[in-house]
Amino acid sequence: MELKYCGLFGFILLTSLALDGIPAFSVTTSNPKPTVKENQTVDLYCEYSADFQNPRVEWKFKNPSGSTTFVFYSAQITDKYKNHGVTTPNNGKSIHFVTATRQDTGTYDCEVTSITTGDFRSVSIYLLVQVPPTSPQCRIPATVTTGTAVTLKCQDSACSPACTYRWFKDKMLMPVDPKGSLAFANSSYSINPNSGDLVFSSVSKADAGTFSCEAANNIGSPLTCTAAQMLVEDKNVGGIVAAVVIVLLILALLGVGLWFAYRRGYFQTKTQSKPNVIYQPAERATNEDFKQTSSFVV
């Protein structure tokens, strides 16, 4: 009977909490999207309701590539994060980063389980560690051929949040839409500010110049890669014609040589002729063939 009343009381309590706007078995956080500059201190908070009897708290980290690791497990910080200077001041309700690095950017899940009832809830927190731009890596071809498609690349994989990119030609800012600029109206290119790609669909002599790229993310000052020159050369039509003529001459000489060898009989197969054999039947023996030519003495 006492168990029955306890169960009824628990149900009434949970119903009352729900009606009062306090959900039963809830896990929350005061800051779901904290941001911090690299090498500074940050705390992640996780609060859970009192109806979790004998709670077990675990923290998991998922990096941007999707790999998941434990931060807090079996009531203690895992060795990886212990060596990283991470602590839990209040039994897993928060985790404290002494020095946050760019590798700490990602999603942290605070998972709370009632060992007594088996109830489970969780809350996700996305930590963004801000990293200013570094000098981006640019790939600019030294020489290209007119009429071909050419891609110039610019990338800074370290900046966080992700950088956006701008391209410059001969120290002049290239607009994303070249048709809207008199200086670039005759050029056929496109710029992706998020990936840093500068693509010429059909490069022309007018596209030659000195190029550089700038990376920026509003965390620190923008940085630019070292400028490099791109030359645009015409197709070597004379060289192509000469190569075709040489190939045709080689084929012609090969054909003449084969014809001459055939005429000289080098490709004729020699066959051995069998001698003509005339079969003559054997002559029958006559009595004269058995005439005694010698005398016998008895």
Side-chain angles (χ1 to χ4, degrees):
M1 183 67 68
E2 292 181 358
L3 293 175
K4 183 177 180 180
Y5 284 131
C6 289
L8 179 61
F9 175 76
F11 174 77
I12 294 173
L13 176 62
L14 294 179
T15 305
S16 175
L17 291 173
L19 292 175
D20 291 338
I22 304 175
F25 295 106
S26 63
V27 178
T28 60
T29 180
S30 58
N31 189 2
K33 293 183 178 181
T35 60
V36 62
K37 291 185 178 181
E38 191 173 30
N39 299 323
Q40 293 187 359
T41 299
V42 65
D43 292 277
L44 309 183
Y45 297 99
C46 175
E47 295 290 339
Y48 50 89
S49 56
D51 47 3
F52 279 96
Q53 301 178 29
N54 195 10
R56 181 179 68 234
V57 181
E58 296 175 349
W59 285 83
K60 295 178 181 178
F61 169 65
K62 181 186 293 184
N63 63 21
S65 64
S67 177
T68 302
T69 57
F70 275 103
V71 180
F72 184 75
Y73 182 75
S74 296
Q76 62 181 352
I77 292 290
T78 58
D79 291 339
K80 175 182 177 180
Y81 286 89
K82 192 180 299 181
N83 297 331
H84 186 38
V86 177
T87 60
T88 51
N90 48 7
N91 297 324
K93 285 190 175 182
S94 68
I95 55 177
H96 175 74
F97 290 84
V98 177
T99 304
T101 65
R102 64 193 68 186
Q103 288 79 17
D104 296 322
T105 292
T107 301
Y108 293 81
D109 292 328
C110 175
E111 302 177 348
V112 183
T113 305
S114 173
I115 298 177
T116 303
T117 64
D119 289 280
F120 169 85
R121 299 291 188 277
S122 67
V123 65
S124 295
I125 302 170
Y126 184 81
L127 173 63
L128 175 63
V129 180
Q130 298 174 334
V131 182
T134 59
S135 182
Q137 295 182 352
C138 294
R139 288 189 289 174
I140 303 170
T143 305
V144 296
T145 305
T146 54
T148 60
V150 179
T151 301
L152 283 65
K153 290 187 171 293
C154 178
Q155 185 67 38
D156 179 9
S157 57
C159 58
S160 176
C163 283
T164 56
Y165 304 93
R166 300 193 303 172
W167 279 93
F168 296 82
K169 177 189 175 186
D170 299 328
K171 298 183 179 181
M172 183 181 296
L173 177 64
M174 302 178 67
V176 175
D177 183 8
K179 303 306 178 185
S181 171
L182 292 176
F184 298 94
N186 295 325
S187 185
S188 59
Y189 71 82
S190 61
I191 295 178
N192 188 327
N194 297 318
S195 67
D197 288 352
L198 167 59
V199 180
F200 291 92
S201 57
S202 179
V203 71
S204 65
K205 297 282 285 186
D207 295 322
T210 301
F211 293 85
S212 61
C213 171
E214 177 191 87
N217 68 350
N218 296 324
I219 309 297
S221 301
L223 291 178
T224 306
C225 69
T226 302
Q229 187 178 24
M230 184 180 75
L231 300 177
V232 181
E233 297 181 349
D234 291 325
K235 292 181 179 179
N236 189 3
V237 179
I240 296 175
V241 172
V244 172
V245 171
I246 291 174
V247 171
L248 292 176
L249 287 175
I250 293 174
L251 292 175
L253 291 174
L254 181 61
V256 171
L258 292 174
W259 177 82
F260 181 77
Y262 180 80
R263 294 286 296 176
R264 295 295 299 269
Y266 290 109
F267 294 107
Q268 294 181 0
T269 303
K270 296 181 178 181
T271 56
Q272 294 182 354
S273 58
K274 295 182 179 181
N276 295 328
V277 179
I278 300 176
Y279 174 75
Q280 295 182 352
E283 297 180 356
R284 292 185 177 182
T286 59
N287 291 334
E288 294 180 357
D289 293 332
F290 292 97
K291 288 181 178 180
Q292 184 174 350
T293 58
S294 300
S295 59
F296 294 90
V297 177
V298 179

